[in-house]
Amino acid sequence: LDKSLSLSPPDGSAVAPSPLTATSASRVQRPELLCGAVALGCALLLALKFTCSRAKDVIIPAKPPVSFFSPRSPVLDLFQGQLDYAEYVRRDSEVVLLFFYAPWCGQSIAARAEIEQAASRLSDQVLFVAINCWWNQGKCRKQKHFFYFPVIYLYHRSFGPIEYKGPMSAVYIEKFVRRVMKPLLYIPSQSELLDFLSNYEPGVLGYFEFSGSPQPPGYLTFFTSALHSLKKDYLGTVRFGVITNKHLAKLVSLVHSGSVYLHRHFNTSLVFPREVLNYTAENICKWALENQETLFRWLWPHGGKSLLLNNELKKGPALFLFIPFNPLAESHPLIDEITEVALEYNNCHGDQVVERLLQHLRRVDAPVLESLALEVPAQLPDPPPITASPCCNTVVLPQWHSFSRTHNVCELCVNQTSGGMKPSSVSVPQCSFFEMAAALDSFYLKEQTFYHVASDSIECSNFLTSYSPFSYYTACCRTISRGVSGFIDSEQGVFEAPTVAFSSLEKKCEVDAPSSVPHIEENRYLFPEVDMTSTNFTGLSCRTNKTLNIYLLDSNLFWLYAERLGAPSSTQVKEFAAIVDVKEESHYILDPKQALMKLTLESFIQNFSVLYSPLKRHLIGSGSAQFPSQHLITEVTTDTFWEVVLQKQDVLLLYYAPWCGFCPSLNHIFIQLARNLPMDTFTVARIDVSQNDLPWEFMVDRLPTVLFFPCNRKDLSVKYPEDLPITLPNLLRFILHHSDPASSPQNVANSPTKECLQSEAVLQRGHISHLEREIQKLRAEISSLQRAQVQVESQLSSARRDEHRLRQQQRALEEQHSLLHAHSEQLQALYEQKTRELQELARKLQELADASENLLTENTWLKILVATMERKLEGRDGAESLAAQREVHPKQPEPSGTPQLPGSSPPPANVSATLVSERNNENRTD
């Protein structure tokens, strides 16, 4: 480490030690810091352990659960979550209801009384078991993982669980339990067969012969399929029935035992295809649910913010019927009437089976309908006596019409009977648009009849139409403010329109709110003896582009939704009907004063289905806001709109909503405005459009919006400019500009004097001279603008020339770029070629190097061999020379020197010379 710190770079510059290196060095130099850190860490661990151990001691254990149901309750309460015991008792019972609850859950607490009530009625047939599934030590909490409470499971012997998701009401729970107990309905006679087929719920019938065996083949499968249907659809919308009589089975095309029949009202009924699908409970249930046909649906929204209604409204116009429903009742007369209406409404092809079912419904419901007809007049006020059946409509004459100079509104009534003839089912008026158009044409042709007698009184006349000698049109015309006063009889015995009293707008700014035109159902109510059958209503769903989807809701449970749609909050009979059309952004309600019955429903649907519907769009508004007189700003609602806005004053109306962030910032401005304006001639008001509906002509598309309604000219309302800031000076200028002081009642009576006229003329001349000066200024500005235009055009021409030159340069540069690109490609190809050649040369040089190494190795081996050969040759030459000497001098002693091998001879001279030359070459090679 010291050496590394002492090293310096070769250039001689100093190197600072890194922080890590310095820290390591300090730790090495000061080991007491490391020991202190270790001791501190151990102390922290001990403190943490001590704290955790103390925390476990201070936690209060959960209190043991207590019984959720009372000891006298017929419900078996397993409040400790004994799920194993519940399974044990379930095996010994035929039908068991398991109620899983949490003691803290408000819905579980609310459903407790309903479960006890249902158990008190069915305890002798069904075992009710309640299990606490929230106790953390119970098996239910450990084995079941529910996301909501309460949860109701039903078991029919070994089949289950069947979860119930309907309303937590005792009657609905009992009805569902009874459906599980008896999923099949026995059909013994033709009357009960018609009752089964005419029901609004889809029906599935099975034919089984019990004469041969107590349990015919396929019966248990069919029974299980009914339970599967309840498991998949907790509402039980598909009913299952059993036929044992072969004659009844032939009426529904069932011949063989074990056949299954699905009844459909309008489409072709089906028989289960056993040759295509396996005869199993799952297949039968799936086949019935996929091919079922419903007349109308029951809706069971969960809570007050359910999206169920929103999803259904996206499918098209919807008719919502709120009726009190008791699922345990044996008969439902009102539902039978609604079923009859739905059958007639959708019977597009006049099916004979449907007609037979309708006849059966009418025959069964005849006494009930008669009793209802006797009770209706007691609830509604008695209508005045009439002698005909009219159909009236209000006609606003165009301004170009000659008669409109004195009268601009006429009430036209169509009377289809003459001289007080008794109306029949053929002559019941339908208020068609074509009859109204014919009445209007006839009225225009006979306008001279009214023109010469025009006065301030209401003018009425009867005139024949050219279409039928037995039909009259009645017209009552005047410049009026509408208010229905009643029915009157003319001297000629012809029914006249409801007398309408209007006040001239030229004398008064106050206008009453328009009332509704008499509807078809009101006219039919006036004639109870008219036959209730209507050929025009049959198959209406196929003759209109506004086909209705019919939905039913239990008013005992969901009256909150009815109140949101316009139903009265306090009523004795909770019956209500409303049509909602999301595409048209409107909805209509049936008059709450009328009884909900077949006749009124048909008329209500007919009024909605016609091209020019006489129904009035229902406006939903908040409660009437009554403020003391000292309030500066008047709060307007739907009910008070006509009274406030159309009063005899100038009115400035602010449209706002609570969710509008910019609207509260305008409050102080409007308060100051209201303080500066006189309250006797001016009104500052506002309306919350999120809570109050208005007619379409008074609605706005943005918030905040300010509208000004001047007195005497309410039809000339003005919108505050959107691009102008909403400030107090701007609002005052806007009001003064669009108000007409000369039209106020105080200034109308005062005639202008000569001095006023002269001063007005002087002001006008000054205004004219001012305008002339302004015109001269504008002309000077126009000339300067023209000169500027010339300069801009010259600059534009030079810019165009520069642009042309730049384009030429751009093209030249592009050509050079293309040439350079081609040259670059050539150089790249040459580079690649030279690279390949160099690689080839390198490969050859490598081969040569390898060959030279091999040669060197061979040369070494040759050297070794030559040296060996030399030694051998030297030894041989020495031996030969020694032998020769011995032969020449046999007695001379051998000289001391190199020993000679026996048989060796000295090398010849040429060999020695060769060896010397090779040594020299070897040295040179080395």
Side-chain angles (χ1 to χ4, degrees):
L1 179 62
D2 296 337
K3 291 181 180 179
S4 63
L5 292 174
S6 63
L7 291 177
S8 60
D11 56 356
S13 60
V15 178
S18 63
L20 180 61
T21 305
T23 304
S24 302
S26 64
R27 287 179 181 174
V28 172
Q29 297 174 1
R30 301 181 64 182
E32 62 275 5
L33 294 178
L34 181 61
C35 296
V38 173
L40 181 61
C42 295
L44 290 175
L45 290 175
L46 292 174
L48 182 62
K49 183 178 180 180
F50 179 74
T51 304
C52 294
S53 61
R54 290 295 303 272
K56 292 181 180 178
D57 296 336
V58 298
I59 293 177
I60 301 176
K63 295 181 179 180
V66 296
S67 179
F68 190 67
F69 289 84
S70 63
R72 296 184 300 274
S73 174
V75 180
L76 176 62
D77 189 7
L78 303 178
F79 56 88
Q80 293 183 350
Q82 303 97 315
L83 188 61
D84 50 354
Y85 184 73
E87 294 292 334
Y88 173 74
V89 298
R90 185 179 64 82
R91 298 189 187 97
D92 298 335
S93 303
E94 183 176 2
V95 179
V96 179
L97 185 145
L98 299 182
F99 178 72
F100 299 95
Y101 67 90
W104 54 264
C105 176
Q107 297 182 1
S108 300
I109 297 173
R112 174 172 53 187
E114 307 295 332
I115 292 293
E116 286 184 341
Q117 183 178 351
S120 62
R121 295 173 58 90
L122 299 173
S123 58
D124 56 339
Q125 306 176 49
V126 180
L127 175 62
F128 285 79
V129 181
I131 306 174
N132 182 1
C133 215
W134 188 254
W135 174 240
N136 55 359
Q137 298 181 10
K139 287 189 176 182
C140 182
R141 176 70 180 273
K142 297 178 181 179
Q143 298 182 11
K144 302 288 185 180
H145 303 282
F146 296 117
F147 297 98
Y148 56 90
F149 289 101
V151 178
I152 297 178
Y153 282 170
L154 278 94
Y155 291 87
H156 189 285
R157 295 180 182 173
S158 61
F159 186 87
I162 305 174
E163 185 176 0
Y164 173 74
K165 298 181 181 180
M168 290 299 169
S169 176
V171 290
Y172 283 96
I173 296 174
E174 181 180 351
K175 178 65 175 180
F176 187 76
V177 173
R178 292 186 182 275
R179 290 286 290 267
V180 174
M181 292 169 55
K182 298 180 180 179
L184 300 181
L185 181 64
Y186 177 57
I187 310 297
S189 62
Q190 183 176 356
S191 176
E192 295 190 8
L193 177 62
L194 290 175
D195 291 339
F196 184 87
L197 298 179
S198 61
N199 194 280
Y200 66 93
E201 294 178 337
V204 178
L205 289 172
Y207 169 52
F208 300 95
E209 293 182 355
F210 285 84
S211 57
S213 63
Q215 185 172 324
Y219 176 76
L220 184 59
T221 302
F222 186 70
F223 184 89
T224 309
S225 66
L227 293 176
H228 273 286
S229 175
L230 292 174
K231 185 176 182 180
K232 293 183 178 180
D233 188 0
Y234 65 92
L235 298 177
T237 54
V238 180
R239 303 193 307 163
F240 284 75
V242 175
I243 298 177
T244 58
N245 190 336
K246 62 179 180 180
H247 300 289
L248 286 179
K250 289 182 179 179
L251 296 178
V252 291
S253 305
L254 295 180
V255 179
H256 304 287
S257 177
S259 302
V260 179
Y261 169 84
L262 173 63
H263 176 69
R264 301 195 293 184
H265 295 288
F266 308 110
N267 295 319
T268 304
S269 300
L270 303 177
V271 178
F272 182 77
R274 304 187 66 167
E275 64 279 359
V276 178
L277 298 175
N278 293 331
Y279 192 81
T280 61
E282 292 82 359
N283 288 341
I284 295 175
C285 175
K286 182 179 179 181
W287 170 76
L289 293 176
E290 289 179 352
N291 297 281
Q292 66 175 331
E293 181 185 72
T294 56
L295 286 176
F296 46 82
R297 284 188 55 194
W298 280 95
L299 298 181
W300 312 98
H302 295 280
K305 296 182 179 180
S306 175
L307 295 177
L308 179 61
L309 296 183
N310 181 42
N311 297 331
E312 297 298 331
L313 288 174
K314 293 179 181 179
K315 301 177 182 179
L319 172 62
F320 293 102
L321 300 175
F322 294 85
I323 60 174
F325 180 67
N326 182 12
L328 298 178
E330 296 182 359
S331 62
H332 303 89
L334 184 54
I335 293 182
D336 292 340
E337 290 191 23
I338 296 173
T339 303
E340 186 177 352
V341 171
L343 286 174
E344 291 185 1
Y345 182 66
N346 295 283
N347 188 17
C348 301
H349 305 289
D351 189 80
Q352 297 297 327
V353 177
V354 178
E355 294 294 338
R356 178 68 181 89
L357 295 177
L358 287 173
Q359 293 178 4
H360 177 73
L361 287 174
R362 294 179 187 130
R363 178 181 60 81
V364 172
D365 293 343
V368 178
L369 291 177
E370 183 179 357
S371 62
L372 290 176
L374 293 175
E375 294 177 0
V376 170
Q379 299 176 0
L380 298 180
D382 295 335
I386 59 173
T387 58
S389 55
C391 178
C392 302
N393 199 359
T394 302
V395 178
V396 180
L397 301 182
Q399 295 296 328
W400 51 265
H401 203 269
S402 60
F403 188 74
S404 64
R405 288 177 293 181
T406 55
H407 297 78
N408 58 4
V409 177
C410 291
E411 193 78 9
L412 294 183
C413 295
V414 180
N415 179 26
Q416 296 186 343
T417 61
S418 60
M421 294 174 55
K422 182 178 180 180
S424 62
S425 60
V426 179
S427 63
V428 173
Q430 301 300 325
C431 282
S432 68
F433 169 75
F434 302 102
E435 290 178 331
M436 286 290 101
L440 185 61
D441 293 339
S442 300
F443 172 70
Y444 284 160
L445 293 175
K446 298 180 179 295
E447 63 176 271
Q448 300 298 330
T449 307
F450 294 85
Y451 185 72
H452 66 280
V453 296
S455 64
D456 293 337
S457 61
I458 299 177
E459 302 295 337
C460 298
S461 177
N462 305 321
F463 52 96
L464 285 171
T465 175
S466 58
Y467 294 94
S468 173
F470 300 103
S471 299
Y472 285 88
Y473 295 131
T474 302
C476 297
C477 303
R478 194 183 177 189
T479 304
I480 46 182
S481 117
R482 189 164 174 174
V484 178
S485 62
F487 297 91
I488 59 173
D489 296 331
S490 63
E491 296 179 357
Q492 294 85 357
V494 179
F495 177 79
E496 295 182 357
T499 304
V500 186
F502 285 75
S503 300
S504 175
L505 290 178
E506 300 175 357
K507 298 181 180 180
K508 195 175 182 181
C509 293
E510 299 178 358
V511 179
D512 295 334
S515 59
S516 59
V517 178
H519 291 174
I520 297 178
E521 59 266 19
E522 297 175 3
N523 294 328
R524 288 192 175 184
Y525 164 69
L526 299 175
F527 304 98
E529 67 274 11
V530 177
D531 187 10
M532 296 176 63
T533 61
S534 176
T535 57
N536 294 330
F537 184 76
T538 303
L540 182 59
S541 63
C542 301
R543 301 196 308 269
T544 179
N545 291 331
K546 299 188 291 184
T547 304
L548 289 169
N549 299 317
I550 304 177
Y551 301 99
L552 268 66
L553 292 94
D554 189 353
S555 58
N556 295 325
L557 301 176
F558 308 109
W559 190 248
L560 174 64
Y561 292 92
E563 293 180 358
R564 293 178 181 176
L565 292 175
S569 57
S570 59
T571 178
Q572 296 181 354
V573 181
K574 290 187 176 181
E575 295 179 357
F576 179 71
I579 295 177
V580 181
D581 191 351
V582 176
K583 184 179 180 181
E584 299 295 333
E585 297 183 1
S586 59
H587 80 278
Y588 314 93
I589 66 172
L590 184 65
D591 189 0
K593 297 180 181 179
Q594 298 181 9
L596 186 62
M597 53 190 300
K598 177 179 181 295
L599 182 62
T600 55
L601 277 179
E602 288 182 355
S603 302
F604 188 44
I605 296 174
Q606 279 182 316
N607 279 344
F608 173 77
S609 302
V610 296
L611 183 60
Y612 295 92
S613 175
L615 295 177
K616 296 295 182 179
R617 172 173 166 259
H618 180 70
L619 305 178
I620 298 178
S622 59
S624 178
Q626 300 294 337
F627 291 101
S629 58
Q630 61 266 21
H631 276 254
L632 296 175
I633 299 178
T634 304
E635 189 74 23
V636 180
T637 63
T638 302
D639 299 332
T640 62
F641 177 78
W642 296 98
E643 178 184 354
V644 174
V645 173
L646 300 183
Q647 62 182 336
K648 190 181 177 180
Q649 283 184 349
D650 292 333
V651 179
L652 186 70
L653 182 62
L654 170 65
Y655 290 79
Y656 78 98
W659 49 261
C660 173
F662 300 97
C663 298
S665 62
L666 304 177
N667 291 338
H668 70 284
I669 298 176
F670 279 83
I671 291 174
Q672 294 178 9
L673 180 66
R675 288 174 178 173
N676 295 330
L677 295 174
M679 299 183 62
D680 55 344
T681 59
F682 199 92
T683 300
V684 179
R686 67 173 189 171
I687 182 171
D688 182 5
V689 293
S690 64
Q691 300 293 332
N692 297 275
D693 291 339
L694 294 178
W696 293 122
E697 59 268 22
F698 295 105
M699 291 300 293
V700 294
D701 56 353
R702 65 189 300 270
L703 296 177
T705 297
V706 180
L707 292 184
F708 178 66
F709 297 88
C711 181
N712 301 327
R713 294 177 293 115
K714 298 295 183 178
D715 55 336
L716 301 179
S717 58
V718 186
K719 181 180 179 181
Y720 188 83
E722 297 179 359
D723 55 349
L724 188 63
I726 301 179
T727 61
L728 182 60
N730 291 339
L731 284 174
L732 289 174
R733 294 191 193 99
F734 172 73
I735 294 170
L736 295 176
H737 177 70
H738 293 286
S739 61
D740 188 8
S743 63
S744 61
Q746 298 176 357
N747 297 332
V748 171
N750 300 329
S751 59
T753 61
K754 185 177 181 180
E755 296 177 356
C756 292
L757 293 176
Q758 291 177 357
S759 61
E760 184 66 23
V762 171
L763 291 175
Q764 292 294 337
R765 285 194 296 270
H767 186 60
I768 291 171
S769 61
H770 175 71
L771 291 177
E772 289 177 352
R773 289 192 299 270
E774 293 292 333
I775 290 172
Q776 291 177 358
K777 292 180 181 180
L778 290 175
R779 288 176 179 175
E781 292 179 359
I782 290 172
S783 61
S784 62
L785 289 175
Q786 290 176 351
R787 290 192 299 270
Q789 181 182 3
V790 173
Q791 295 177 0
V792 171
E793 289 178 352
S794 62
Q795 293 176 1
L796 286 175
S797 61
S798 62
R800 291 193 188 96
R801 289 192 297 270
D802 295 340
E803 182 183 3
H804 182 66
R805 185 176 65 257
L806 290 174
R807 287 181 178 176
Q808 290 179 350
Q809 294 177 0
Q810 182 182 3
R811 285 195 293 270
L813 291 174
E814 289 177 353
E815 292 176 358
Q816 294 178 2
H817 176 72
S818 62
L819 292 174
L820 291 174
H821 184 68
H823 185 61
S824 174
E825 291 180 351
Q826 293 177 0
L827 292 176
Q828 183 69 21
L830 182 60
Y831 170 76
E832 293 177 356
Q833 181 181 358
K834 294 299 182 181
T835 302
R836 287 193 298 271
E837 292 178 357
L838 289 175
Q839 291 177 355
E840 185 66 23
L841 290 174
R843 185 181 61 78
K844 291 181 179 180
L845 289 175
Q846 184 67 30
E847 291 178 357
L848 288 174
D850 296 340
S852 65
E853 289 180 0
N854 294 333
L855 289 175
L856 288 174
T857 304
E858 293 177 358
N859 189 16
T860 303
W861 284 107
L862 286 174
K863 288 179 182 180
I864 296 171
L865 182 61
V866 168
T868 306
M869 294 298 296
E870 286 180 354
R871 285 193 298 271
K872 288 182 179 180
L873 290 175
E874 289 178 356
R876 189 178 300 172
D877 292 342
E880 289 180 354
S881 62
L882 181 60
Q885 290 178 3
R886 285 179 179 178
E887 289 178 357
V888 175
H889 306 283
K891 293 183 179 180
Q892 293 179 353
E894 295 181 359
S896 58
T898 305
Q900 298 290 331
L901 296 175
S904 63
S905 60
N910 55 356
V911 172
S912 300
T914 302
L915 290 174
V916 172
S917 62
E918 287 180 357
R919 288 193 184 98
N920 296 332
N921 292 334
E922 180 180 356
N923 296 332
R924 189 180 302 111
T925 303
D926 294 338

